[in-house]
Amino acid sequence: MPGTSAAKEEGFLYNNWYVAGWGTDLAPGERVGRTFLNQPVVLFRTQSGEVSALEDRCCHRALPLSFGMVEGERIRCSYHGLEFNTQGKCEKIPAQDKVPSTACVRRYPLVERDSLMWIWMGEPALADETAIPAHPWHANPRFRWKSFHYDIQGNWELMIENLMDLSHLPYIHAQTIGGNPELHFGIKTNSTRDGDVVRVSRHMPNSEPPPTYKTAKGFTGKVDRWQEIEFMPVLIRINTGACDADTGAYEGKREHGFSMVGFHGITPETETTTHYFWSVATDALADGVPEKVFQQTADTFREDQEVLELQQLRISAEPDRPLLDIASDVGSRQARQVLRRLMKAEREPGMVAA
Ligand code: FES
Ligand SMILES: [Fe+2]
């Protein structure tokens, strides 16, 4: 059956909250230029701690504002010194007394929450802060977590497909989270859809723990293992872990075991490049999470990065060639359907800012 996959690079979903970065990316007085959905944006934090996202293009002569400096509560263009407040309004032109009302740059709604910065790239009037997905693990004292930002030379939907189909684990991640390939054969993948949320789960009862799990928890015998994936536009949360076999993992008794909660914020940069903001939180050991667990996780996602970038090379060479879907694509196919429906809806006139 021919699949559409991400081969066609069918554009972006604009009216949606995307991860723009980690709160720790910006100390007071710092700024950074990033591109989201082909739009250049400057993110900055004022001296008082407020974060703002503006178009990264001065309205005077188009120099990127990220080339400038944060001055108090404003960002100053470094060419002729125009200063813009957090709303994108120019408040100072050094060479003249009056600032025309047209002196402004586009502001993007930006919200800092759960240690993440969320940006809205579509129609500002539609930005509803209550729709930002919560990620309480970043504030849960039982968990330790680390954050990462990878720049992927691949289309954003390839990343979604990768995370929604974990049947690649024993092949790509044999040395880390994958474990023995035979464990993965014959595991039933359940996929359900609830509105715009797609959930995929796989259970591996009475199985051999993979290397990362042994490192984290010191399992010696067989385990009941789970992989539970939740997609919503556009992030994926993956809850994986294991308990000693037959100790209640599948009835929800998991606190005595090992859990890892992965947060995967997938933000398109261009059609063929993606910001991948991810974190992993784990409740592994009472006396501290071995650094090796984080390192192995980081290595795991570098393995995925390599795969995506190789895929993109082939896809870019022949973008119109179809790809084949197989049974394990069920989750990514459902995620794609959600995205296609939302993208189609917002192409209706008046739904996306010009
Ligand atoms: S280009 Fe920004 S002040 Fe002139
Ligand atoms: Fe992977």
Side-chain angles (χ1 to χ4, degrees), residues 66-134:
S66 57
F67 193 66
M69 300 280 290
V70 177
E71 279 288 327
E73 298 305 295
R74 300 175 186 156
I75 190 161
R76 186 179 65 202
C77 181
S78 65
Y79 204 173
H80 312 95
L82 269 64
E83 293 184 15
F84 300 86
N85 67 17
T86 56
Q87 303 304 298
K89 187 177 175 329
C90 180
E91 292 186 322
K92 182 175 174 186
I93 301 178
Q96 64 190 59
D97 295 335
K98 208 164 171 315
V99 178
S101 61
T102 49
C104 57
V105 295
R106 177 174 176 183
R107 177 188 77 94
Y108 296 88
L110 188 77
V111 176
E112 194 167 12
R113 191 173 291 174
D114 295 326
S115 304
L116 290 150
M117 291 188 283
W118 295 89
I119 193 166
W120 181 269
M121 299 301 294
E123 175 57 49
L126 299 177
D128 171 10
E129 292 185 16
T130 64
I132 296 174

Side-chain angles (χ1 to χ4, degrees), residues 3-48:
T4 51
S5 184
K8 291 272 196 185
E9 299 160 9
E10 292 174 75
F12 306 121
L13 177 65
Y14 290 90
N15 290 319
N16 196 68
W17 290 102
Y18 287 97
V19 178
W22 296 100
T24 49
D25 291 350
L26 293 173
E30 289 185 343
R31 83 283 183 217
V32 64
R34 286 183 183 155
T35 295
F36 306 118
L37 285 59
N38 274 339
Q39 299 174 52
V41 172
V42 57
L43 304 170
F44 67 100
R45 190 185 296 278
T46 68
Q47 292 298 348
S48 71

